[in-house]
Amino acid sequence: MIIPKNREEIELMRESALVVSKTLGMLAKEVKPGVTTLYLDQLAEEFIRAQGAIPAFLGLYDFPNTLCMSPNSQVVHGIPNNTPLVEGDIISIDCGALKNEFYGDHAYTFAVGEIDPETKKLLDITKESLYVGIREFKLGNRVGDVGYAIQQFTEKHGYGVVRELVGHGIGRKMHEDPEMPNYGRRGRGKKFVEGMALAIEPMTNMGTHKIRFHKDGWTVTTLDNKPSAHFEHDVALIDGKPELLSTFQYIYEALGIESDEENEFRQQPLVL
C-alpha cells in the first residue's frame, strides 16, 4: 500500500535525507587510498549521531554496520572491513539515517584517487540514469515508466541493469511500497500519487546484469566480476512533479565540483 505524505511530513523527510547528504559530503573528503571502509563506517556513525539522528542501517534486518560499502565488483550491501582502499578503486557508499521518525536513504559511488576512463564513464552514465528515471516520476505515470527510462538509457551504453535489487518507497519505514525496479515497461505498475516518496537507485554493471549473492547473507557481486556503480536519491511527488529531498551538493562542495544537475528537481534553491 502506497502511503502519501503531507507537506509537513515531507519536510521532516527532507531533514532526514539531508543528514545522509551531509554524511556523504563528510566522507567525500576521507575516501582516499590507504583508508579502510571500517574507518569510514566509524566516522559516519559518529557524524550521524552528532546530527541528532540514528544510523538507520545499523541493526536493520541484522545488518552489522552503519554503511553499506561496496567496492569495485560489489553491487550493494558490502560489509565494512579493514582492507585498505587502493588507487583506482571505486566504492559505492549507501547510507541511511532516522530522524523525527522518518528515514533518509541515498547512495553515491566514489572514485578512489584516479580511475580509468572506462570506469569513470560507468559512474557518469549510472548517475545520469538516476536523473533520467527521476524525470519520469510525475503525476499520471507509473512505476514501469521510471524503470523503462533507466533501462533504455543504461542499456543503450552497453551496461547491465541489475534485476534482483530495486528502489523503494520510503517514509516512517525504510522500505515501503512500491518497489522501484530499474527496468520495466511503460504504463505498467502502480500509479504515482501526490505526496508519495521514493528512493530511486540505479545499480549498473559494466558487463552482465547478472549478480551473485554471497554466503554472508549481504554481499552481492557482479557475476563476471566487472565493476558496478550505484547512485540513489530520495524524491517526493509535490504538485505533480519530482522534488529532490536529498542532494549530492555536499559531496561536490567537498570535492570542488560545480554542478547544476539537481536544479530542475528543486522548487526552491538549496541552501548549504
Side-chain angles (χ1 to χ4, degrees), residues 14 17-18 21 105-106 232-235 243-248 262 266 270:
R14 193 190 307 273
L18 289 179
S21 301
D105 167 28
H106 66 111
E232 177 181 17
H233 267 313
D234 295 340
V235 196
E243 167 81 8
L244 282 182
L245 305 180
S246 55
T247 181
F248 294 149
E262 297 178 358
R266 297 198 184 281
L270 177 71

Side-chain angles (χ1 to χ4, degrees), residues 3 9 11 43 47 62 66 71 74 78 105 122 129 168 179 199 205 214 218 224 232 240 243 246 265 270:
I3 306 173
E9 290 173 323
E11 289 310 309
L43 289 181
F47 189 84
D62 294 324
T66 293
Q74 291 189 25
D105 167 28
L122 173 70
S129 78
H168 50 91
E179 290 190 345
N205 300 341
H214 289 241
W218 290 106
D224 56 11
E232 177 181 17
E243 167 81 8
S246 55
F265 307 111
L270 177 71

Side-chain angles (χ1 to χ4, degrees), residues 237-255:
L237 193 61
I238 301 176
D239 295 331
K241 298 181 293 186
E243 167 81 8
L244 282 182
L245 305 180
S246 55
T247 181
F248 294 149
Q249 290 301 320
Y250 292 101
I251 295 171
Y252 296 156
E253 185 178 46
L255 299 179

